[in-house]
Amino acid sequence: MKTRFFAALALAAISIPAMAAEEFPGAIIADFYMSEFSIPKGWELSYKGLDNGVQVFVMDRDLDTYPQTAFLQPIEQMRRLMCGDDELKQMVNGGTLVRVDSRDKRGGKTSLTKGPTLTRC
C-alpha cells in the first residue's frame, strides 16, 4: 500500500509543480482512498482543509439509498486509511491531527456532524 500512495503523490507533484513540500496532501489522500480502498456504498471522501491545526476531511454518506451502512463510522474508515499505510501512519504518529466530519443524507435532508480527531495510530 505504501507504494501506491507514493505513486499517487508523485504523479500529483509532477502535475502541480508549485506544490509546497510542507503542504498537506489532503486532496491526494482523499483520491487515494476513493480509488484504492473498498468503500461503503454511497460514501465519498473529500478534503476540506485546515481547521485550527487539524486536517479536516468530509465523508458524504447517502443513508437514504444505503441505510445499511449507517452503523459504520467515518472515523473507522479514516483510521483504516491513515493507519493502514506506512507513510500516512508516520504522518499521524508524527503529530498530524486528522478529523473526518460526516455529511449525512437522511430522510431527504442533509446534516453535518463534526467527527472525532485521530491523534495516533
Side-chain angles (χ1 to χ4, degrees):
M1 186 130 3
K2 176 179 174 181
T3 307
R4 287 190 214 156
F5 176 72
F6 267 131
L9 185 59
L11 181 60
I14 290 168
S15 63
I16 306 169
M19 187 172 145
E22 67 276 348
E23 187 174 322
F24 184 76
I28 296 169
I29 293 170
D31 289 344
F32 174 64
Y33 173 78
M34 294 301 296
S35 66
E36 299 295 326
F37 281 72
S38 168
I39 59 173
K41 289 187 179 195
W43 288 37
E44 185 173 335
L45 184 67
S46 61
Y47 177 65
K48 183 176 179 182
L50 187 65
D51 178 30
N52 292 323
V54 178
Q55 302 295 339
V56 181
F57 291 84
V58 176
M59 185 70 78
D60 287 295
R61 305 189 308 163
D62 184 352
L63 300 178
D64 282 343
T65 306
Y66 302 100
Q68 67 275 19
T69 65
F71 76 95
L72 298 170
Q73 298 300 311
I75 190 65
E76 293 306 320
Q77 293 295 307
M78 184 57 60
R79 182 175 284 112
R80 185 173 147 234
L81 168 63
M82 297 302 291
C83 299
D85 178 86
D86 292 339
E87 299 305 316
L88 297 177
K89 182 178 185 176
Q90 188 176 23
M91 278 185 193
V92 172
N93 288 337
T96 300
L97 303 176
V98 178
R99 186 178 83 219
V100 60
D101 296 342
S102 177
R103 186 172 20 238
D104 297 338
K105 181 181 172 199
R106 191 178 276 159
K109 296 181 181 183
T110 303
S111 64
L112 182 67
T113 304
K114 187 175 176 179
T117 301
L118 181 63
T119 58
R120 301 291 295 165
C121 287

